[in-house]
Protein backbone atom coordinates (compact mmCIF):
# COMPACT_ATOMS: atom_id res chain seq x y z
CA UNK A 1 0.00 0.00 0.00
CA UNK A 2 1.27 3.46 -0.93
CA UNK A 3 0.42 6.64 0.96
CA UNK A 4 -0.40 9.38 -1.55
CA UNK A 5 -1.25 12.07 0.99
CA UNK A 6 -2.16 12.60 4.64
CA UNK A 7 -3.59 15.87 5.96
CA UNK A 8 -4.62 16.88 9.44
CA UNK A 9 -8.39 17.34 9.43
CA UNK A 10 -10.67 18.14 12.41
CA UNK A 11 -7.96 16.79 14.76
CA UNK A 12 -7.85 13.56 12.78
CA UNK A 13 -6.19 12.56 9.51
CA UNK A 14 -7.59 12.55 5.99
CA UNK A 15 -5.46 10.18 3.95
CA UNK A 16 -5.40 8.97 0.36
CA UNK A 17 -3.88 5.58 -0.39
CA UNK A 18 -3.21 3.33 -3.38
CA UNK A 19 -2.94 -0.43 -3.36
CA UNK A 20 -2.91 -3.42 -5.69
CA UNK A 21 -6.41 -4.90 -5.70
CA UNK A 22 -6.75 -8.64 -6.10
CA UNK A 23 -10.46 -8.26 -6.84
CA UNK A 24 -10.08 -5.72 -9.62
CA UNK A 25 -6.70 -6.80 -10.94
CA UNK A 26 -5.32 -3.27 -10.96
CA UNK A 27 -4.24 -0.50 -8.61
CA UNK A 28 -7.09 1.13 -6.69
CA UNK A 29 -7.16 4.41 -4.78
CA UNK A 30 -9.27 5.25 -1.73
CA UNK A 31 -9.66 8.01 0.83
CA UNK A 32 -9.82 7.32 4.57
CA UNK A 33 -10.60 9.76 7.35
CA UNK A 34 -9.52 8.63 10.82
CA UNK A 35 -10.75 10.67 13.80
CA UNK A 36 -8.49 11.58 16.70
CA UNK A 37 -9.85 8.62 18.68
CA UNK A 38 -8.19 6.19 16.27
CA UNK A 39 -4.92 7.01 18.02
CA UNK A 40 -6.24 5.23 21.10
CA UNK A 41 -7.70 2.14 19.44
CA UNK A 42 -10.08 0.84 16.77
CA UNK A 43 -13.01 3.06 15.81
CA UNK A 44 -16.29 2.35 13.95
CA UNK A 45 -16.31 2.76 10.17
CA UNK A 46 -18.81 4.42 7.83
CA UNK A 47 -18.50 3.58 4.12
CA UNK A 48 -19.39 6.25 1.55
CA UNK A 49 -19.98 4.96 -1.99
CA UNK A 50 -19.96 7.63 -4.68
CA UNK A 51 -21.96 7.98 -7.88
CA UNK A 52 -21.42 8.05 -11.63
CA UNK A 53 -18.26 9.79 -12.90
CA UNK A 54 -16.87 10.16 -9.37
CA UNK A 55 -13.54 9.03 -7.93
CA UNK A 56 -12.63 8.65 -4.26
CA UNK A 57 -12.12 12.41 -4.18
CA UNK A 58 -15.60 13.83 -4.87
CA UNK A 59 -17.28 13.05 -1.58
CA UNK A 60 -14.01 13.40 0.32
CA UNK A 61 -13.76 17.07 -0.71
CA UNK A 62 -17.39 18.10 -1.31
CA UNK A 63 -19.65 16.32 1.22
CA UNK A 64 -18.25 17.93 4.36
CA UNK A 65 -18.59 14.65 6.23
CA UNK A 66 -15.30 14.74 8.16
CA UNK A 67 -16.45 17.42 10.59
CA UNK A 68 -19.43 15.34 11.68
CA UNK A 69 -17.47 12.08 11.71
CA UNK A 70 -14.89 13.72 13.97
CA UNK A 71 -17.63 14.82 16.37
CA UNK A 72 -18.94 11.25 16.50
CA UNK A 73 -15.52 9.56 16.67
CA UNK A 74 -16.03 7.41 13.58
CA UNK A 75 -13.89 6.74 10.50
CA UNK A 76 -14.98 7.36 6.89
CA UNK A 77 -13.79 5.43 3.87
CA UNK A 78 -14.27 6.74 0.32
CA UNK A 79 -13.59 4.00 -2.27
CA UNK A 80 -13.25 4.71 -5.96
CA UNK A 81 -16.27 3.89 -8.15
CA UNK A 82 -14.52 1.53 -10.59
CA UNK A 83 -11.22 -0.02 -11.61
CA UNK A 84 -9.02 2.28 -13.68
CA UNK A 85 -5.94 2.15 -15.91
CA UNK A 86 -4.80 1.84 -19.49
CA UNK A 87 -5.53 -1.90 -19.52
CA UNK A 88 -9.01 -1.54 -18.01
CA UNK A 89 -11.99 -1.56 -20.39
CA UNK A 90 -13.83 1.72 -20.82
CA UNK A 91 -16.71 3.23 -22.76
CA UNK A 92 -17.02 6.73 -24.25
CA UNK A 93 -20.34 7.27 -22.46
CA UNK A 94 -20.18 8.59 -18.88
CA UNK A 95 -22.54 5.95 -17.49
CA UNK A 96 -20.60 2.79 -18.38
CA UNK A 97 -17.02 1.70 -17.83
CA UNK A 98 -14.47 3.61 -15.78
CA UNK A 99 -16.26 5.76 -13.21
CA UNK A 100 -19.40 3.63 -13.50
CA UNK A 101 -18.72 0.29 -11.84
CA UNK A 102 -22.25 -0.03 -10.37
CA UNK A 103 -20.89 -2.14 -7.48
CA UNK A 104 -21.38 -5.46 -9.28
CA UNK A 105 -19.08 -8.32 -10.31
CA UNK A 106 -19.16 -8.22 -14.11
CA UNK A 107 -19.46 -11.52 -15.94
CA UNK A 108 -19.45 -10.22 -19.52
CA UNK A 109 -16.66 -9.17 -21.89
CA UNK A 110 -14.86 -6.82 -21.89
CA UNK A 111 -15.72 -5.95 -18.28
CA UNK A 112 -15.26 -9.24 -16.42
CA UNK A 113 -11.47 -9.14 -15.89
CA UNK A 114 -11.51 -5.95 -13.79
CA UNK A 115 -15.04 -4.80 -12.96
CA UNK A 116 -15.53 -6.67 -9.67
CA UNK A 117 -16.59 -3.81 -7.47
CA UNK A 118 -18.88 -5.94 -5.28
CA UNK A 119 -15.93 -8.07 -4.21
CA UNK A 120 -13.75 -4.99 -3.87
CA UNK A 121 -16.12 -3.33 -1.38
CA UNK A 122 -17.25 -6.55 0.31
CA UNK A 123 -13.90 -8.34 0.64
CA UNK A 124 -10.78 -6.68 -0.74
CA UNK A 125 -10.84 -3.22 0.79
CA UNK A 126 -12.28 -4.29 4.19
CA UNK A 127 -9.41 -6.75 4.64
CA UNK A 128 -6.86 -4.06 3.78
CA UNK A 129 -8.42 -1.57 6.19
CA UNK A 130 -8.55 -4.07 9.06
CA UNK A 131 -4.91 -5.00 8.53
CA UNK A 132 -3.47 -1.50 8.24
CA UNK A 133 -5.66 0.91 10.21
CA UNK A 134 -7.37 1.25 13.61
CA UNK A 135 -10.77 0.08 12.33
CA UNK A 136 -13.29 -2.00 14.28
CA UNK A 137 -14.59 -4.56 11.75
CA UNK A 138 -17.58 -5.36 13.96
CA UNK A 139 -18.88 -1.78 13.81
CA UNK A 140 -19.55 -0.83 10.19
CA UNK A 141 -22.27 1.18 8.46
CA UNK A 142 -22.74 2.22 4.84
CA UNK A 143 -24.11 5.12 2.83
CA UNK A 144 -23.81 6.43 -0.72
CA UNK A 145 -25.08 8.82 -3.36
CA UNK A 146 -26.92 7.97 -6.59
CA UNK A 147 -25.12 4.93 -8.07
CA UNK A 148 -23.39 4.72 -4.70
CA UNK A 149 -26.74 4.76 -2.93
CA UNK A 150 -27.73 1.79 -5.08
CA UNK A 151 -24.51 0.06 -4.03
CA UNK A 152 -24.96 0.90 -0.35
CA UNK A 153 -28.48 -0.54 -0.26
CA UNK A 154 -27.71 -3.71 -2.21
CA UNK A 155 -24.51 -4.43 -0.27
CA UNK A 156 -26.21 -3.81 3.08
CA UNK A 157 -29.06 -6.18 2.26
CA UNK A 158 -26.83 -8.65 0.43
CA UNK A 159 -24.34 -9.02 3.29
CA UNK A 160 -26.54 -9.73 6.33
CA UNK A 161 -24.86 -8.83 9.60
CA UNK A 162 -22.06 -6.79 8.01
CA UNK A 163 -23.51 -3.31 8.42
CA UNK A 164 -25.39 -1.98 11.45
CA UNK A 165 -27.22 0.70 9.46
CA UNK A 166 -27.68 1.85 5.88
CA UNK A 167 -28.58 5.19 4.33
CA UNK A 168 -28.56 6.71 0.87
CA UNK A 169 -28.76 10.05 -0.91
CA UNK A 170 -30.88 9.93 -4.09
CA UNK A 171 -30.18 6.24 -4.73
CA UNK A 172 -30.83 4.53 -8.04
CA UNK A 173 -33.59 2.52 -6.40
CA UNK A 174 -34.87 0.29 -9.18
CA UNK A 175 -32.16 -0.13 -11.84
CA UNK A 176 -33.89 -3.15 -13.41
CA UNK A 177 -36.84 -0.84 -14.15
CA UNK A 178 -34.92 2.25 -15.26
CA UNK A 179 -32.77 3.43 -18.13
CA UNK A 180 -30.20 4.16 -15.42
CA UNK A 181 -29.56 0.51 -14.70
CA UNK A 182 -30.88 -1.65 -17.50
CA UNK A 183 -28.06 -0.56 -19.81
CA UNK A 184 -25.36 -1.17 -17.21
CA UNK A 185 -26.74 -4.41 -15.75
CA UNK A 186 -27.09 -5.87 -19.24
CA UNK A 187 -23.56 -4.84 -20.17
CA UNK A 188 -21.96 -6.14 -16.99
CA UNK A 189 -24.15 -9.17 -16.19
CA UNK A 190 -25.72 -10.20 -19.50
CA UNK A 191 -29.29 -10.29 -20.75
CA UNK A 192 -30.66 -12.76 -18.18
CA UNK A 193 -32.57 -10.41 -15.88
CA UNK A 194 -32.67 -12.98 -13.07
CA UNK A 195 -28.98 -12.18 -12.57
CA UNK A 196 -29.85 -8.54 -12.05
CA UNK A 197 -32.25 -9.01 -9.14
CA UNK A 198 -29.66 -9.06 -6.33
CA UNK A 199 -28.47 -5.66 -7.55
CA UNK A 200 -31.86 -3.96 -7.50
CA UNK A 201 -32.59 -2.36 -4.12
CA UNK A 202 -36.36 -2.40 -4.60
CA UNK A 203 -36.39 -6.10 -5.49
CA UNK A 204 -34.03 -7.06 -2.68
CA UNK A 205 -36.04 -4.98 -0.22
CA UNK A 206 -39.16 -6.94 -1.13
CA UNK A 207 -37.33 -10.26 -0.81
CA UNK A 208 -35.26 -9.86 2.35
CA UNK A 209 -35.16 -6.28 3.69
CA UNK A 210 -32.55 -5.05 6.13
CA UNK A 211 -32.15 -5.95 9.78
CA UNK A 212 -31.35 -2.46 11.04
CA UNK A 213 -32.20 1.22 10.63
CA UNK A 214 -32.66 2.65 7.11
CA UNK A 215 -32.59 6.32 6.05
CA UNK A 216 -33.16 7.58 2.48
CA UNK A 217 -33.13 11.22 1.30
CA UNK A 218 -34.05 12.31 -2.22
CA UNK A 219 -34.55 15.86 -3.49
CA UNK A 220 -37.99 16.73 -4.85
CA UNK A 221 -36.28 18.80 -7.57
CA UNK A 222 -33.76 16.10 -8.46
CA UNK A 223 -33.29 16.35 -12.22
CA UNK A 224 -32.86 12.56 -12.44
CA UNK A 225 -35.75 11.55 -10.19
CA UNK A 226 -37.56 9.62 -12.95
CA UNK A 227 -34.43 7.50 -13.39
CA UNK A 228 -33.95 7.03 -9.64
CA UNK A 229 -37.50 5.72 -9.11
CA UNK A 230 -37.78 6.43 -5.35
CA UNK A 231 -41.45 5.39 -5.51
CA UNK A 232 -40.41 1.80 -6.32
CA UNK A 233 -38.30 1.60 -3.17
CA UNK A 234 -41.03 3.24 -1.09
CA UNK A 235 -43.53 0.66 -2.36
CA UNK A 236 -41.14 -2.18 -1.50
CA UNK A 237 -40.58 -0.76 2.00
CA UNK A 238 -44.34 -0.52 2.54
CA UNK A 239 -45.00 -3.99 1.14
CA UNK A 240 -42.38 -5.58 3.37
CA UNK A 241 -43.31 -3.31 6.30
CA UNK A 242 -39.64 -2.51 6.68
CA UNK A 243 -38.85 0.05 9.39
CA UNK A 244 -37.32 2.93 7.43
CA UNK A 245 -37.28 6.70 7.12
CA UNK A 246 -37.78 7.89 3.53
CA UNK A 247 -37.67 11.65 3.05
CA UNK A 248 -38.39 13.77 -0.03
CA UNK A 249 -36.48 17.00 0.58
CA UNK A 250 -38.33 19.99 -0.88
CA UNK A 251 -36.51 21.83 -3.68
CA UNK A 252 -33.21 19.94 -3.53
CA UNK A 253 -31.54 18.56 -6.65
CA UNK A 254 -28.99 15.77 -7.28
CA UNK A 255 -25.83 17.74 -6.54
CA UNK A 256 -23.37 17.76 -3.66
CA UNK A 257 -25.12 20.88 -2.40
CA UNK A 258 -27.93 18.45 -1.55
CA UNK A 259 -25.60 15.85 -0.05
CA UNK A 260 -23.74 18.38 2.09
CA UNK A 261 -27.04 19.81 3.37
CA UNK A 262 -28.02 16.48 4.96
CA UNK A 263 -24.71 14.70 5.61
CA UNK A 264 -24.78 15.72 9.29
CA UNK A 265 -28.12 13.92 9.68
CA UNK A 266 -26.74 10.79 8.04
CA UNK A 267 -23.51 10.66 10.04
CA UNK A 268 -25.45 11.11 13.30
CA UNK A 269 -27.93 8.44 12.19
CA UNK A 270 -25.12 5.96 11.63
CA UNK A 271 -23.21 6.95 14.77
CA UNK A 272 -26.24 6.08 16.87
CA UNK A 273 -26.22 2.54 15.45
CA UNK A 274 -22.45 2.16 15.50
CA UNK A 275 -22.04 3.16 19.15
CA UNK A 276 -25.12 1.24 20.40
Amino acid sequence: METLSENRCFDGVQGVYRHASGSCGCDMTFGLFLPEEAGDGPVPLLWYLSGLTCTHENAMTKAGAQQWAAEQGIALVFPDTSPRGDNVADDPEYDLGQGAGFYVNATQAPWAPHFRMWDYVAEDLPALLAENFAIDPDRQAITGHSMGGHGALTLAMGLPGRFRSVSAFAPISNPAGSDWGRKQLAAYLGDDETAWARHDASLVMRERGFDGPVLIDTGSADQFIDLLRPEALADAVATRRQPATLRLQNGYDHSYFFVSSFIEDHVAFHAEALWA
Side-chain angles (χ1 to χ4, degrees):
M1 187 180 68
E2 178 184 1
T3 299
L4 300 181
S5 64
E6 287 184 332
N7 298 96
R8 187 161 177 81
C9 180
F10 294 104
D11 293 326
V13 176
Q14 175 63 65
V16 177
Y17 308 93
R18 181 164 56 212
H19 69 110
S21 166
S23 299
C24 296
C26 62
D27 286 349
M28 295 291 287
T29 302
F30 66 93
L32 178 68
F33 171 74
L34 289 172
E36 185 178 22
E37 289 84 349
D40 299 321
V43 295
L45 176 65
L46 174 59
W47 292 75
Y48 185 104
L49 306 185
S50 290
L52 287 168
T53 75
C54 292
T55 69
H56 69 281
E57 189 175 21
N58 294 73
M60 188 181 81
T61 59
K62 293 181 179 180
Q66 293 91 338
Q67 175 182 357
W68 312 115
E71 285 194 4
Q72 301 288 352
I74 63 177
L76 294 167
V77 63
F78 305 96
D80 202 347
T81 56
S82 78
R84 297 182 191 271
D86 292 340
N87 296 321
V88 175
D90 201 6
D91 188 276
E93 298 295 327
Y94 77 96
D95 57 353
L96 189 66
Q98 295 186 35
F102 262 77
Y103 305 100
V104 304
N105 287 341
T107 60
Q108 306 298 302
W111 315 107
H114 298 288
F115 280 72
R116 303 189 62 81
M117 288 302 294
W118 179 283
D119 283 353
Y120 180 69
V121 174
E123 299 176 10
D124 198 356
L125 188 52
L128 183 84
L129 294 174
E131 181 178 351
N132 291 279
F133 300 98
I135 298 297
D136 183 350
D138 295 325
R139 294 175 183 266
Q140 297 187 64
I142 191 166
T143 189
H145 174 229
S146 193
M147 178 185 73
H150 137 80
L153 290 166
T154 55
L155 281 153
M157 292 185 283
L159 299 171
R162 172 72 63 88
F163 301 105
R164 295 196 176 191
S165 52
V166 61
S167 75
F169 299 87
I172 300 174
S173 298
N174 181 212
S178 166
D179 289 343
W180 249 9
R182 294 189 63 82
K183 169 185 176 180
Q184 294 84 358
L185 294 177
Y188 293 140
L189 303 176
D191 293 331
D192 181 2
E193 295 190 22
T194 61
W196 304 0
R198 66 189 290 254
H199 298 292
D200 187 301
S202 295
L203 299 179
V204 182
M205 178 62 73
R206 286 178 181 273
E207 178 185 347
R208 67 177 69 174
F210 180 68
D211 186 19
V214 178
L215 172 63
I216 310 292
D217 275 320
T218 303
S220 68
D222 192 306
Q223 59 270 47
F224 305 113
I225 197 164
D226 290 339
L227 297 169
L228 303 176
R229 291 181 52 79
E231 66 278 3
L233 183 59
D235 184 68
V237 165
T239 299
R240 187 171 180 81
R241 297 176 181 170
Q242 165 80 43
T245 300
L246 280 67
R247 306 189 300 194
L248 198 60
Q249 300 290 2
N250 188 37
Y252 284 88
D253 61 16
H254 199 71
S255 71
Y256 265 92
F257 295 110
F258 158 64
V259 173
S260 61
S261 295
F262 298 100
I263 192 69
E264 179 184 6
D265 287 359
H266 284 244
V267 172
F269 164 80
H270 290 294
E272 182 176 0
L274 288 167
W275 288 116

